[in-house]
Amino acid sequence: YNKMKNSFLIKMLENCHMHLLMKKTMRIIVAKKQNIFGKEVFFMEKTEILARVDHTALKSTATWEDIRLLCEEAVEYKTASVCIPPSYLKRARAAFPQLNLCTVIGFPLGYSTTASKVFETKDAVTHGADEIDMVVNLGDVKNGNFEEVTAEIMAVREAAQGRLLKVIVETCYLTREEKIRICKCVTDAKADYIKTSTGFGSAGAQLEDIELFREHIGSDVKIKAAGGIRTQEAMEAFCQAGCSRIGCSAAIKALCGK
């Protein structure tokens, strides 16, 4: 009797385990959300989204306490990086030696000279930057000087000394043709990423721009969406549209309620 009872209990536990496993698998792989930015997208695990997030604090009023908390959250939730002002790099590197640190160059307007951006980049590398997010010179773009745009990206890439380079193109100010031309600039300059926005322009990331980038960037260039991305649904939509990184200050609050 005891043998039969134990066998029955084991069978029940096995069935329960299989049911939970199938339920989890179905939730991850099969379940869908409808009409997010007019798209049908699949659920993603929160950890999968966080692994693509550049946890960001770039307000001019950010204090060291703000940056310290940002870094602690990034470590706890395993984000791809933290994106912080250059002035905090040295202190953040000392306090969080294993953390992936990203900073911004020519930010947010992009109209500083190439020499200035090169100096900023070298300084950032000296103080511990692992990743560089540079803003292109939009004046050059509007003047049709795309060779200058390419040359500047190449100069910053050289100054970055092998660090990951993302190029912010501020899509809200560009025509469709300019976006296509700048995809070629980023590709020809061998940058690692094209990035939609600073988050300080008139608008942020748009899914149609991600689709356009995918059509026109080189195969070695990845995409980062940033600006106005504040919900889990938005993050999922941009990830599934083809973004390898998401620049976001609200990701942990949106995903983890913190």
Side-chain angles (χ1 to χ4, degrees), residues 15-206:
N15 289 339
C16 183
H17 176 73
M18 286 299 296
H19 175 73
L20 290 172
L21 185 62
M22 287 176 65
K23 188 176 179 182
K24 183 178 180 182
T25 303
M26 290 293 288
R27 179 170 60 83
I28 295 171
I29 299 175
V30 179
K32 296 179 180 179
K33 293 182 178 180
Q34 304 291 333
N35 298 319
I36 298 172
F37 298 116
K39 302 287 183 181
E40 181 183 76
V41 300
F42 292 91
F43 282 106
M44 294 177 67
E45 286 291 285
K46 291 178 181 179
T47 53
E48 185 182 357
I49 300 171
L50 287 166
R52 302 190 194 191
V53 168
D54 289 345
H55 195 28
T56 302
L58 292 172
K59 289 182 179 178
S60 60
T61 55
T63 65
W64 168 245
E65 183 63 13
D66 296 328
I67 301 301
R68 185 185 66 78
L69 289 172
L70 185 90
C71 292
E72 286 181 351
E73 289 176 344
V75 170
E76 180 179 354
Y77 293 99
K78 297 179 174 58
T79 63
S81 78
V82 290
C83 190
I84 60 176
S87 58
Y88 285 117
L89 278 173
K90 187 175 181 180
R91 195 168 178 182
R93 175 53 69 216
F96 300 92
Q98 303 305 316
L99 189 58
N100 199 33
L101 300 182
C102 173
T103 196
V104 287
I105 302 297
F107 193 87
L109 299 175
Y111 55 26
S112 50
T113 65
T114 298
S116 296
K117 292 178 184 177
V118 165
F119 177 83
E120 283 186 71
T121 303
K122 289 179 178 178
D123 188 63
V125 169
T126 298
H127 289 121
D130 299 296
E131 302 185 2
I132 300 294
D133 285 21
M134 66 167 287
V135 186
V136 296
N137 189 322
L138 292 169
D140 282 341
V141 175
K142 292 298 179 182
N143 288 323
N145 296 332
F146 291 99
E147 289 183 3
E148 291 295 323
V149 174
T150 303
E152 181 173 88
I153 298 169
M154 291 177 71
V156 171
R157 180 173 62 82
E158 184 177 352
Q161 300 172 43
R163 273 65 176 182
L164 200 70
L165 177 62
K166 311 187 202 92
V167 181
I168 308 170
V169 303
E170 204 70 294
T171 50
C172 60
Y173 299 130
L174 304 181
T175 66
R176 187 177 189 278
E177 181 57 32
E178 287 166 346
K179 292 170 189 174
I180 292 171
R181 293 289 298 275
I182 212 163
C183 281
K184 186 176 189 309
C185 295
V186 173
T187 301
D188 290 349
K190 295 180 169 35
D192 298 290
Y193 278 78
I194 187 169
K195 176 178 171 182
T196 60
S197 320
T198 62
F200 289 77
S202 59
Q206 306 294 325

Side-chain angles (χ1 to χ4, degrees), residues 53-57 224-226 229-231 235 246-252:
V53 168
D54 289 345
H55 195 28
T56 302
K224 176 177 173 178
I229 303 171
R230 299 185 180 90
T231 66
M235 284 182 266
I246 303 291
C248 187
S249 59
I252 289 174

